[in-house]
Amino acid sequence: MKQPKFEWYEEDRQAMCTLYTEYGEFKGIASCHPDDMDMMSEKVGCEIACSRALIDSLVYERDCVIKPSLKALRQLYYSMKHSKKFNPKSYEAKMLWSQIRNWEIDLTMVCNMIATEKKILNDYIHTKEALYQNIRKQRQDGQN
């Protein structure tokens, strides 16, 4: 994977991140809410955009690489299994089953990575919001 490319559009209040992976380009966009204009930050926007691009790339890998591969291997295995000449102890059957297990492990790992990244992003946004509210409250108390 190459280094991500970040773009910051201050007039549009948007940050964009482009991730380059072996499966293609994935873009993540973060827009500043109008209520948060006083706390708008390029770094925060780029962080959120990068996280969204990463989630998109993981979802693509899960849905367009791992699941179809696993489906094809399972189809082959179950087609072979119903043959009269099928030997479950043959090298081919064992290797095929091994590959199915490897893809299942990959699927589980990618699903866990997606869930973790979504939780990290959600926690990051909530933490920033709490920080912003605290700063706004202190500013307001300082003016009074």
Side-chain angles (χ1 to χ4, degrees):
M1 183 183 337
K2 291 185 198 176
Q3 286 287 4
K5 179 183 170 191
F6 295 101
E7 297 174 46
W8 171 245
Y9 305 105
E10 190 159 356
E11 61 279 354
D12 296 333
R13 301 182 322 265
Q14 281 190 341
M16 187 165 58
C17 175
T18 306
L19 275 180
Y20 302 95
T21 70
E22 61 186 292
Y23 305 117
E25 287 183 11
F26 298 93
K27 294 185 187 281
I29 297 173
S31 299
C32 181
H33 191 275
D35 294 345
D36 293 333
M37 289 289 291
D38 58 332
M39 299 290 178
M40 186 170 63
S41 167
E42 178 180 356
K43 290 182 181 182
V44 171
C46 288
E47 183 71 27
I48 292 170
C50 186
S51 189
R52 288 179 177 164
L54 179 59
I55 290 169
D56 284 350
S57 72
L58 291 170
V59 168
Y60 178 87
E61 184 177 357
R62 178 194 67 193
D63 294 344
C64 298
V65 177
I66 296 174
K67 283 185 176 180
S69 299
L70 187 56
K71 183 177 179 181
L73 289 172
R74 284 180 177 155
Q75 176 65 34
L76 176 62
Y77 181 80
Y78 292 118
S79 294
M80 289 173 44
K81 185 178 177 181
H82 294 294
S83 169
K84 292 178 183 176
K85 297 179 181 179
F86 179 69
N87 178 6
K89 296 184 181 186
S90 70
Y91 173 78
E92 294 82 8
K94 287 180 181 179
M95 287 305 296
L96 184 56
W97 189 248
S98 173
Q99 287 299 309
I100 290 171
R101 296 307 262 158
N102 288 341
W103 281 104
E104 286 174 343
I105 290 168
D106 288 350
L107 179 61
T108 302
M109 286 178 49
V110 168
C111 288
N112 288 340
M113 289 171 65
I114 292 169
T116 300
E117 192 63 33
K118 283 182 178 180
K119 182 173 179 0
I120 289 170
L121 176 59
N122 195 25
D123 290 348
Y124 182 76
I125 291 171
H126 286 345
T127 302
K128 285 292 180 184
E129 180 60 27
L131 175 68
Y132 294 163
Q133 294 299 334
N134 191 18
I135 291 171
R136 288 183 185 116
K137 184 180 177 198
Q138 288 178 1
R139 284 181 184 169
Q140 190 175 12
D141 290 345
Q143 289 177 354
N144 294 336

Short mmCIF file of all heavy atoms in Angstrom, two decimals, residues 28-92:
data_model
loop_
_atom_site.label_atom_id
_atom_site.label_comp_id
_atom_site.label_asym_id
_atom_site.label_seq_id
_atom_site.Cartn_x
_atom_site.Cartn_y
_atom_site.Cartn_z
N GLY A 28 -11.96 8.67 1.18
CA GLY A 28 -12.74 8.98 2.37
C GLY A 28 -12.88 10.49 2.45
O GLY A 28 -11.93 11.22 2.17
N ILE A 29 -14.06 10.95 2.82
CA ILE A 29 -14.32 12.37 2.89
C ILE A 29 -14.86 12.70 4.27
O ILE A 29 -15.68 11.97 4.82
CB ILE A 29 -15.33 12.81 1.81
CG1 ILE A 29 -14.76 12.55 0.42
CG2 ILE A 29 -15.71 14.28 1.97
CD1 ILE A 29 -15.72 12.79 -0.71
N ALA A 30 -14.40 13.83 4.82
CA ALA A 30 -14.90 14.33 6.09
C ALA A 30 -15.29 15.79 5.88
O ALA A 30 -14.49 16.57 5.38
CB ALA A 30 -13.86 14.21 7.18
N SER A 31 -16.52 16.11 6.25
CA SER A 31 -17.01 17.49 6.14
C SER A 31 -17.24 18.05 7.53
O SER A 31 -17.75 17.35 8.40
CB SER A 31 -18.33 17.53 5.36
OG SER A 31 -18.15 17.04 4.07
N CYS A 32 -16.90 19.31 7.69
CA CYS A 32 -17.10 19.97 8.98
C CYS A 32 -18.56 20.39 9.11
O CYS A 32 -19.13 21.00 8.21
CB CYS A 32 -16.18 21.19 9.08
SG CYS A 32 -16.32 22.05 10.66
N HIS A 33 -19.15 20.05 10.23
CA HIS A 33 -20.53 20.45 10.51
C HIS A 33 -20.56 21.96 10.75
O HIS A 33 -19.64 22.51 11.36
CB HIS A 33 -21.04 19.70 11.74
CG HIS A 33 -22.50 19.83 11.95
ND1 HIS A 33 -23.07 20.89 12.60
CD2 HIS A 33 -23.53 19.03 11.56
CE1 HIS A 33 -24.38 20.74 12.62
NE2 HIS A 33 -24.69 19.61 12.00
N PRO A 34 -21.61 22.64 10.29
CA PRO A 34 -21.67 24.10 10.49
C PRO A 34 -21.56 24.54 11.96
O PRO A 34 -21.02 25.61 12.24
CB PRO A 34 -23.04 24.48 9.91
CG PRO A 34 -23.35 23.42 8.93
CD PRO A 34 -22.71 22.17 9.45
N ASP A 35 -22.02 23.71 12.89
CA ASP A 35 -21.93 24.06 14.31
C ASP A 35 -20.48 24.00 14.81
O ASP A 35 -20.17 24.57 15.86
CB ASP A 35 -22.79 23.12 15.16
CG ASP A 35 -24.27 23.30 14.88
OD1 ASP A 35 -24.65 24.32 14.26
OD2 ASP A 35 -25.05 22.40 15.28
N ASP A 36 -19.63 23.29 14.11
CA ASP A 36 -18.24 23.11 14.55
C ASP A 36 -17.25 24.00 13.80
O ASP A 36 -16.05 23.75 13.83
CB ASP A 36 -17.82 21.65 14.38
CG ASP A 36 -18.58 20.73 15.31
OD1 ASP A 36 -19.00 21.19 16.39
OD2 ASP A 36 -18.74 19.55 14.96
N MET A 37 -17.74 25.02 13.12
CA MET A 37 -16.86 25.88 12.33
C MET A 37 -15.76 26.51 13.19
O MET A 37 -14.64 26.69 12.71
CB MET A 37 -17.67 26.98 11.65
CG MET A 37 -18.54 26.49 10.52
SD MET A 37 -17.59 26.02 9.10
CE MET A 37 -17.01 27.62 8.58
N ASP A 38 -16.06 26.81 14.44
CA ASP A 38 -15.06 27.45 15.30
C ASP A 38 -13.92 26.50 15.66
O ASP A 38 -12.84 26.94 16.06
CB ASP A 38 -15.72 27.99 16.57
CG ASP A 38 -16.43 26.92 17.37
OD1 ASP A 38 -16.89 25.92 16.78
OD2 ASP A 38 -16.54 27.08 18.61
N MET A 39 -14.13 25.21 15.52
CA MET A 39 -13.11 24.22 15.87
C MET A 39 -12.58 23.47 14.64
O MET A 39 -11.90 22.46 14.79
CB MET A 39 -13.70 23.19 16.84
CG MET A 39 -14.17 23.75 18.12
SD MET A 39 -12.76 24.26 19.10
CE MET A 39 -13.58 24.93 20.51
N MET A 40 -12.86 23.96 13.46
CA MET A 40 -12.47 23.27 12.23
C MET A 40 -10.95 23.08 12.19
O MET A 40 -10.19 24.00 12.48
CB MET A 40 -12.92 24.09 11.02
CG MET A 40 -12.69 23.40 9.71
SD MET A 40 -13.47 24.24 8.32
CE MET A 40 -12.65 25.81 8.30
N SER A 41 -10.54 21.86 11.86
CA SER A 41 -9.13 21.53 11.85
C SER A 41 -8.81 20.60 10.67
O SER A 41 -9.53 19.62 10.44
CB SER A 41 -8.74 20.83 13.16
OG SER A 41 -7.48 20.23 13.07
N GLU A 42 -7.76 20.93 9.98
CA GLU A 42 -7.33 20.10 8.85
C GLU A 42 -6.92 18.71 9.33
O GLU A 42 -7.27 17.70 8.71
CB GLU A 42 -6.17 20.77 8.13
CG GLU A 42 -5.61 19.96 6.98
CD GLU A 42 -4.45 20.64 6.28
OE1 GLU A 42 -4.11 21.78 6.62
OE2 GLU A 42 -3.87 19.99 5.38
N LYS A 43 -6.18 18.66 10.44
CA LYS A 43 -5.69 17.37 10.93
C LYS A 43 -6.83 16.44 11.34
O LYS A 43 -6.79 15.25 11.05
CB LYS A 43 -4.71 17.58 12.08
CG LYS A 43 -3.41 18.19 11.65
CD LYS A 43 -2.45 18.33 12.79
CE LYS A 43 -1.16 18.97 12.29
NZ LYS A 43 -0.18 19.10 13.34
N VAL A 44 -7.80 16.99 12.03
CA VAL A 44 -8.94 16.17 12.46
C VAL A 44 -9.71 15.67 11.24
O VAL A 44 -10.06 14.50 11.15
CB VAL A 44 -9.86 16.96 13.42
CG1 VAL A 44 -11.14 16.19 13.70
CG2 VAL A 44 -9.14 17.26 14.72
N GLY A 45 -9.95 16.56 10.28
CA GLY A 45 -10.66 16.17 9.07
C GLY A 45 -9.92 15.10 8.30
O GLY A 45 -10.53 14.13 7.82
N CYS A 46 -8.61 15.24 8.18
CA CYS A 46 -7.82 14.24 7.45
C CYS A 46 -7.81 12.90 8.18
O CYS A 46 -7.85 11.85 7.54
CB CYS A 46 -6.40 14.76 7.24
SG CYS A 46 -6.30 16.09 6.03
N GLU A 47 -7.78 12.94 9.50
CA GLU A 47 -7.82 11.71 10.29
C GLU A 47 -9.13 10.96 10.07
O GLU A 47 -9.15 9.75 9.86
CB GLU A 47 -7.65 12.04 11.77
CG GLU A 47 -7.60 10.84 12.68
CD GLU A 47 -6.33 10.03 12.56
OE1 GLU A 47 -5.29 10.58 12.19
OE2 GLU A 47 -6.41 8.80 12.82
N ILE A 48 -10.23 11.69 10.11
CA ILE A 48 -11.54 11.07 9.90
C ILE A 48 -11.67 10.56 8.47
O ILE A 48 -12.15 9.44 8.24
CB ILE A 48 -12.67 12.08 10.24
CG1 ILE A 48 -12.67 12.37 11.75
CG2 ILE A 48 -14.03 11.56 9.80
CD1 ILE A 48 -13.57 13.51 12.17
N ALA A 49 -11.22 11.34 7.50
CA ALA A 49 -11.29 10.92 6.09
C ALA A 49 -10.45 9.66 5.86
O ALA A 49 -10.87 8.75 5.13
CB ALA A 49 -10.82 12.05 5.19
N CYS A 50 -9.28 9.60 6.47
CA CYS A 50 -8.41 8.44 6.31
C CYS A 50 -9.06 7.19 6.90
O CYS A 50 -9.01 6.11 6.31
CB CYS A 50 -7.05 8.70 6.96
SG CYS A 50 -5.86 7.40 6.67
N SER A 51 -9.67 7.35 8.03
CA SER A 51 -10.35 6.22 8.66
C SER A 51 -11.50 5.73 7.80
O SER A 51 -11.69 4.51 7.63
CB SER A 51 -10.86 6.65 10.04
OG SER A 51 -11.33 5.55 10.76
N ARG A 52 -12.23 6.64 7.20
CA ARG A 52 -13.34 6.25 6.32
C ARG A 52 -12.84 5.56 5.06
O ARG A 52 -13.45 4.60 4.58
CB ARG A 52 -14.18 7.47 5.97
CG ARG A 52 -15.00 7.95 7.16
CD ARG A 52 -15.81 9.17 6.84
NE ARG A 52 -16.62 9.54 8.01
CZ ARG A 52 -17.19 10.71 8.17
NH1 ARG A 52 -17.07 11.65 7.26
NH2 ARG A 52 -17.89 10.94 9.26
N ALA A 53 -11.73 6.02 4.52
CA ALA A 53 -11.15 5.37 3.34
C ALA A 53 -10.68 3.96 3.68
O ALA A 53 -10.86 3.03 2.89
CB ALA A 53 -9.99 6.20 2.79
N LEU A 54 -10.09 3.80 4.86
CA LEU A 54 -9.63 2.48 5.30
C LEU A 54 -10.81 1.53 5.46
O LEU A 54 -10.75 0.37 5.02
CB LEU A 54 -8.85 2.59 6.61
CG LEU A 54 -8.34 1.29 7.19
CD1 LEU A 54 -7.41 0.57 6.22
CD2 LEU A 54 -7.62 1.56 8.51
N ILE A 55 -11.90 2.01 6.04
CA ILE A 55 -13.09 1.18 6.19
C ILE A 55 -13.61 0.76 4.82
O ILE A 55 -13.96 -0.41 4.61
CB ILE A 55 -14.17 1.91 7.01
CG1 ILE A 55 -13.72 2.02 8.47
CG2 ILE A 55 -15.52 1.19 6.92
CD1 ILE A 55 -14.57 2.96 9.32
N ASP A 56 -13.66 1.70 3.88
CA ASP A 56 -14.12 1.37 2.53
C ASP A 56 -13.25 0.31 1.87
O ASP A 56 -13.74 -0.60 1.20
CB ASP A 56 -14.15 2.61 1.64
CG ASP A 56 -15.33 3.52 1.93
OD1 ASP A 56 -16.24 3.09 2.69
OD2 ASP A 56 -15.35 4.65 1.41
N SER A 57 -11.93 0.41 2.06
CA SER A 57 -11.03 -0.57 1.45
C SER A 57 -11.22 -1.95 2.08
O SER A 57 -11.18 -2.97 1.37
CB SER A 57 -9.57 -0.13 1.56
OG SER A 57 -9.09 -0.23 2.88
N LEU A 58 -11.44 -1.99 3.38
CA LEU A 58 -11.66 -3.28 4.05
C LEU A 58 -13.00 -3.90 3.63
O LEU A 58 -13.08 -5.12 3.43
CB LEU A 58 -11.61 -3.10 5.57
CG LEU A 58 -10.24 -2.79 6.16
CD1 LEU A 58 -10.37 -2.40 7.63
CD2 LEU A 58 -9.28 -3.94 5.99
N VAL A 59 -14.02 -3.08 3.49
CA VAL A 59 -15.33 -3.58 3.04
C VAL A 59 -15.21 -4.13 1.62
O VAL A 59 -15.77 -5.18 1.30
CB VAL A 59 -16.40 -2.46 3.12
CG1 VAL A 59 -17.67 -2.86 2.39
CG2 VAL A 59 -16.72 -2.16 4.58
N TYR A 60 -14.47 -3.43 0.76
CA TYR A 60 -14.26 -3.91 -0.60
C TYR A 60 -13.54 -5.26 -0.58
O TYR A 60 -13.93 -6.19 -1.29
CB TYR A 60 -13.45 -2.91 -1.43
CG TYR A 60 -13.20 -3.39 -2.83
CD1 TYR A 60 -14.13 -3.15 -3.83
CD2 TYR A 60 -12.04 -4.10 -3.15
CE1 TYR A 60 -13.91 -3.60 -5.13
CE2 TYR A 60 -11.82 -4.56 -4.44
CZ TYR A 60 -12.75 -4.30 -5.42
OH TYR A 60 -12.54 -4.77 -6.69
N GLU A 61 -12.49 -5.36 0.22
CA GLU A 61 -11.75 -6.62 0.30
C GLU A 61 -12.64 -7.75 0.77
O GLU A 61 -12.61 -8.85 0.23
CB GLU A 61 -10.55 -6.46 1.24
CG GLU A 61 -9.67 -7.68 1.30
CD GLU A 61 -8.44 -7.49 2.17
OE1 GLU A 61 -8.23 -6.39 2.70
OE2 GLU A 61 -7.70 -8.48 2.33
N ARG A 62 -13.47 -7.46 1.78
CA ARG A 62 -14.39 -8.49 2.29
C ARG A 62 -15.41 -8.91 1.24
O ARG A 62 -15.60 -10.10 0.99
CB ARG A 62 -15.11 -7.96 3.53
CG ARG A 62 -16.12 -8.95 4.12
CD ARG A 62 -17.04 -8.30 5.11
NE ARG A 62 -17.91 -7.35 4.43
CZ ARG A 62 -18.65 -6.45 5.06
NH1 ARG A 62 -18.62 -6.36 6.37
NH2 ARG A 62 -19.42 -5.63 4.38
N ASP A 63 -16.06 -7.93 0.62
CA ASP A 63 -17.19 -8.22 -0.28
C ASP A 63 -16.79 -8.63 -1.68
O ASP A 63 -17.53 -9.37 -2.33
CB ASP A 63 -18.11 -7.00 -0.36
CG ASP A 63 -18.79 -6.71 0.96
OD1 ASP A 63 -18.80 -7.59 1.85
OD2 ASP A 63 -19.32 -5.59 1.11
N CYS A 64 -15.65 -8.15 -2.17
CA CYS A 64 -15.29 -8.39 -3.57
C CYS A 64 -14.09 -9.31 -3.76
O CYS A 64 -13.79 -9.70 -4.90
CB CYS A 64 -15.02 -7.06 -4.27
SG CYS A 64 -16.46 -5.99 -4.30
N VAL A 65 -13.41 -9.66 -2.68
CA VAL A 65 -12.26 -10.56 -2.80
C VAL A 65 -12.47 -11.82 -1.97
O VAL A 65 -12.49 -12.93 -2.50
CB VAL A 65 -10.95 -9.85 -2.38
CG1 VAL A 65 -9.78 -10.81 -2.44
CG2 VAL A 65 -10.70 -8.63 -3.25
N ILE A 66 -12.65 -11.65 -0.69
CA ILE A 66 -12.68 -12.80 0.22
C ILE A 66 -13.96 -13.63 0.06
O ILE A 66 -13.90 -14.84 -0.13
CB ILE A 66 -12.50 -12.36 1.68
CG1 ILE A 66 -11.10 -11.75 1.86
CG2 ILE A 66 -12.69 -13.52 2.63
CD1 ILE A 66 -10.85 -11.15 3.22
N LYS A 67 -15.12 -12.97 0.12
CA LYS A 67 -16.39 -13.72 0.02
C LYS A 67 -16.53 -14.47 -1.30
O LYS A 67 -16.92 -15.64 -1.29
CB LYS A 67 -17.57 -12.80 0.28
CG LYS A 67 -17.77 -12.49 1.75
CD LYS A 67 -19.03 -11.67 1.97
CE LYS A 67 -19.29 -11.44 3.44
NZ LYS A 67 -20.53 -10.64 3.65
N PRO A 68 -16.25 -13.84 -2.46
CA PRO A 68 -16.35 -14.61 -3.71
C PRO A 68 -15.36 -15.77 -3.79
O PRO A 68 -15.71 -16.85 -4.30
CB PRO A 68 -16.06 -13.58 -4.80
CG PRO A 68 -16.38 -12.27 -4.19
CD PRO A 68 -16.03 -12.41 -2.75
N SER A 69 -14.15 -15.57 -3.29
CA SER A 69 -13.16 -16.65 -3.30
C SER A 69 -13.61 -17.80 -2.43
O SER A 69 -13.52 -18.97 -2.82
CB SER A 69 -11.81 -16.14 -2.82
OG SER A 69 -11.33 -15.12 -3.66
N LEU A 70 -14.09 -17.47 -1.25
CA LEU A 70 -14.57 -18.49 -0.33
C LEU A 70 -15.77 -19.24 -0.91
O LEU A 70 -15.86 -20.46 -0.83
CB LEU A 70 -14.94 -17.84 1.00
CG LEU A 70 -15.30 -18.75 2.15
CD1 LEU A 70 -14.19 -19.75 2.44
CD2 LEU A 70 -15.58 -17.92 3.39
N LYS A 71 -16.65 -18.52 -1.55
CA LYS A 71 -17.83 -19.14 -2.17
C LYS A 71 -17.42 -20.12 -3.27
O LYS A 71 -17.95 -21.23 -3.37
CB LYS A 71 -18.75 -18.05 -2.74
CG LYS A 71 -20.03 -18.59 -3.32
CD LYS A 71 -20.92 -17.48 -3.81
CE LYS A 71 -22.19 -18.06 -4.41
NZ LYS A 71 -23.08 -17.03 -4.93
N ALA A 72 -16.46 -19.72 -4.09
CA ALA A 72 -15.99 -20.58 -5.18
C ALA A 72 -15.32 -21.84 -4.64
O ALA A 72 -15.57 -22.95 -5.15
CB ALA A 72 -15.03 -19.82 -6.07
N LEU A 73 -14.50 -21.69 -3.62
CA LEU A 73 -13.82 -22.86 -3.04
C LEU A 73 -14.83 -23.81 -2.40
O LEU A 73 -14.70 -25.03 -2.54
CB LEU A 73 -12.77 -22.43 -2.03
CG LEU A 73 -11.52 -21.76 -2.60
CD1 LEU A 73 -10.65 -21.21 -1.49
CD2 LEU A 73 -10.74 -22.75 -3.46
N ARG A 74 -15.79 -23.26 -1.68
CA ARG A 74 -16.82 -24.11 -1.07
C ARG A 74 -17.64 -24.83 -2.14
O ARG A 74 -17.95 -26.01 -1.99
CB ARG A 74 -17.75 -23.27 -0.19
CG ARG A 74 -17.14 -22.89 1.13
CD ARG A 74 -18.10 -22.06 1.93
NE ARG A 74 -17.58 -21.74 3.24
CZ ARG A 74 -17.95 -20.69 3.96
NH1 ARG A 74 -18.89 -19.89 3.49
NH2 ARG A 74 -17.42 -20.47 5.13
N GLN A 75 -17.99 -24.13 -3.20
CA GLN A 75 -18.75 -24.74 -4.29
C GLN A 75 -17.96 -25.91 -4.89
O GLN A 75 -18.52 -26.99 -5.12
CB GLN A 75 -19.04 -23.70 -5.38
CG GLN A 75 -19.73 -24.25 -6.60
CD GLN A 75 -21.12 -24.77 -6.31
OE1 GLN A 75 -21.83 -24.23 -5.47
NE2 GLN A 75 -21.51 -25.83 -6.99
N LEU A 76 -16.67 -25.70 -5.11
CA LEU A 76 -15.83 -26.76 -5.65
C LEU A 76 -15.77 -27.95 -4.69
O LEU A 76 -15.94 -29.10 -5.10
CB LEU A 76 -14.42 -26.24 -5.93
CG LEU A 76 -13.41 -27.28 -6.41
CD1 LEU A 76 -13.85 -27.90 -7.73
CD2 LEU A 76 -12.03 -26.63 -6.55
N TYR A 77 -15.55 -27.67 -3.41
CA TYR A 77 -15.44 -28.74 -2.42
C TYR A 77 -16.73 -29.56 -2.35
O TYR A 77 -16.70 -30.79 -2.37
CB TYR A 77 -15.09 -28.18 -1.04
CG TYR A 77 -14.94 -29.26 -0.01
CD1 TYR A 77 -13.76 -30.00 0.08
CD2 TYR A 77 -15.97 -29.58 0.87
CE1 TYR A 77 -13.61 -31.01 1.02
CE2 TYR A 77 -15.84 -30.58 1.80
CZ TYR A 77 -14.65 -31.30 1.88
OH TYR A 77 -14.51 -32.31 2.79
N TYR A 78 -17.87 -28.86 -2.27
CA TYR A 78 -19.13 -29.60 -2.13
C TYR A 78 -19.52 -30.30 -3.42
O TYR A 78 -20.20 -31.32 -3.38
CB TYR A 78 -20.24 -28.68 -1.60
CG TYR A 78 -19.95 -28.29 -0.17
CD1 TYR A 78 -19.75 -26.97 0.19
CD2 TYR A 78 -19.83 -29.26 0.83
CE1 TYR A 78 -19.46 -26.62 1.50
CE2 TYR A 78 -19.53 -28.93 2.14
CZ TYR A 78 -19.35 -27.60 2.48
OH TYR A 78 -19.05 -27.27 3.76
N SER A 79 -19.09 -29.78 -4.55
CA SER A 79 -19.31 -30.50 -5.81
C SER A 79 -18.49 -31.78 -5.84
O SER A 79 -18.97 -32.84 -6.26
CB SER A 79 -18.93 -29.63 -7.01
OG SER A 79 -19.78 -28.53 -7.10
N MET A 80 -17.25 -31.69 -5.40
CA MET A 80 -16.38 -32.88 -5.36
C MET A 80 -16.88 -33.88 -4.32
O MET A 80 -16.84 -35.09 -4.55
CB MET A 80 -14.95 -32.47 -5.01
CG MET A 80 -14.23 -31.72 -6.10
SD MET A 80 -12.61 -31.05 -5.60
CE MET A 80 -11.87 -32.36 -4.68
N LYS A 81 -17.38 -33.38 -3.22
CA LYS A 81 -17.81 -34.24 -2.10
C LYS A 81 -18.94 -35.17 -2.52
O LYS A 81 -19.03 -36.29 -2.01
CB LYS A 81 -18.24 -33.35 -0.94
CG LYS A 81 -18.60 -34.09 0.31
CD LYS A 81 -18.97 -33.11 1.40
CE LYS A 81 -19.39 -33.86 2.65
NZ LYS A 81 -19.77 -32.95 3.72
N HIS A 82 -19.77 -34.75 -3.43
CA HIS A 82 -20.91 -35.57 -3.84
C HIS A 82 -20.56 -36.57 -4.95
O HIS A 82 -21.42 -37.32 -5.39
CB HIS A 82 -22.08 -34.68 -4.27
CG HIS A 82 -22.64 -33.89 -3.13
ND1 HIS A 82 -23.27 -34.47 -2.05
CD2 HIS A 82 -22.63 -32.56 -2.88
CE1 HIS A 82 -23.65 -33.54 -1.20
NE2 HIS A 82 -23.26 -32.36 -1.67
N SER A 83 -19.32 -36.59 -5.34
CA SER A 83 -18.88 -37.55 -6.36
C SER A 83 -18.66 -38.92 -5.71
O SER A 83 -18.23 -39.01 -4.55
CB SER A 83 -17.59 -37.06 -7.00
OG SER A 83 -17.03 -38.06 -7.80
N LYS A 84 -18.90 -39.97 -6.48
CA LYS A 84 -18.67 -41.33 -5.97
C LYS A 84 -17.19 -41.59 -5.77
O LYS A 84 -16.80 -42.41 -4.94
CB LYS A 84 -19.25 -42.35 -6.94
CG LYS A 84 -20.75 -42.33 -7.01
CD LYS A 84 -21.26 -43.34 -8.01
CE LYS A 84 -22.76 -43.23 -8.13
NZ LYS A 84 -23.30 -44.13 -9.15
N LYS A 85 -16.35 -40.90 -6.53
CA LYS A 85 -14.91 -41.13 -6.47
C LYS A 85 -14.20 -40.20 -5.47
O LYS A 85 -12.98 -40.21 -5.39
CB LYS A 85 -14.29 -40.92 -7.85
CG LYS A 85 -14.81 -41.91 -8.86
CD LYS A 85 -14.21 -41.66 -10.21
CE LYS A 85 -14.77 -42.64 -11.22
NZ LYS A 85 -14.24 -42.43 -12.55
N PHE A 86 -14.96 -39.45 -4.71
CA PHE A 86 -14.38 -38.50 -3.77
C PHE A 86 -13.70 -39.24 -2.61
O PHE A 86 -14.27 -40.14 -2.01
CB PHE A 86 -15.46 -37.57 -3.22
CG PHE A 86 -14.94 -36.58 -2.21
CD1 PHE A 86 -14.09 -35.55 -2.59
CD2 PHE A 86 -15.28 -36.69 -0.87
CE1 PHE A 86 -13.62 -34.64 -1.67
CE2 PHE A 86 -14.82 -35.79 0.07
CZ PHE A 86 -13.98 -34.75 -0.33
N ASN A 87 -12.46 -38.83 -2.33
CA ASN A 87 -11.71 -39.38 -1.21
C ASN A 87 -11.36 -38.21 -0.28
O ASN A 87 -10.49 -37.41 -0.60
CB ASN A 87 -10.44 -40.07 -1.70
CG ASN A 87 -9.61 -40.61 -0.56
OD1 ASN A 87 -10.01 -40.57 0.60
ND2 ASN A 87 -8.44 -41.13 -0.90
N PRO A 88 -12.02 -38.11 0.88
CA PRO A 88 -11.77 -36.98 1.77
C PRO A 88 -10.35 -36.97 2.35
O PRO A 88 -9.90 -35.94 2.86
CB PRO A 88 -12.81 -37.14 2.88
CG PRO A 88 -13.24 -38.55 2.82
CD PRO A 88 -13.04 -39.01 1.41
N LYS A 89 -9.64 -38.09 2.24
CA LYS A 89 -8.27 -38.15 2.77
C LYS A 89 -7.21 -37.91 1.70
O LYS A 89 -6.03 -37.96 1.99
CB LYS A 89 -8.04 -39.50 3.44
CG LYS A 89 -8.94 -39.68 4.65
CD LYS A 89 -8.66 -40.95 5.37
CE LYS A 89 -9.63 -41.05 6.53
NZ LYS A 89 -9.39 -42.16 7.39
N SER A 90 -7.66 -37.59 0.50
CA SER A 90 -6.69 -37.32 -0.57
C SER A 90 -6.01 -35.97 -0.33
O SER A 90 -6.53 -35.10 0.36
CB SER A 90 -7.38 -37.32 -1.93
OG SER A 90 -8.21 -36.18 -2.05
N TYR A 91 -4.85 -35.84 -0.94
CA TYR A 91 -4.08 -34.60 -0.82
C TYR A 91 -4.90 -33.41 -1.33
O TYR A 91 -4.93 -32.35 -0.70
CB TYR A 91 -2.78 -34.73 -1.61
CG TYR A 91 -1.99 -33.46 -1.68
CD1 TYR A 91 -1.24 -33.04 -0.60
CD2 TYR A 91 -2.02 -32.65 -2.82
CE1 TYR A 91 -0.52 -31.85 -0.64
CE2 TYR A 91 -1.31 -31.47 -2.88
CZ TYR A 91 -0.56 -31.07 -1.80
OH TYR A 91 0.14 -29.90 -1.84
N GLU A 92 -5.56 -33.58 -2.44
CA GLU A 92 -6.33 -32.49 -3.05
C GLU A 92 -7.46 -32.03 -2.13
O GLU A 92 -7.68 -30.83 -1.95
CB GLU A 92 -6.90 -32.92 -4.41
CG GLU A 92 -5.87 -33.17 -5.47
CD GLU A 92 -5.22 -34.56 -5.39
OE1 GLU A 92 -5.69 -35.40 -4.58
OE2 GLU A 92 -4.26 -34.79 -6.12
#
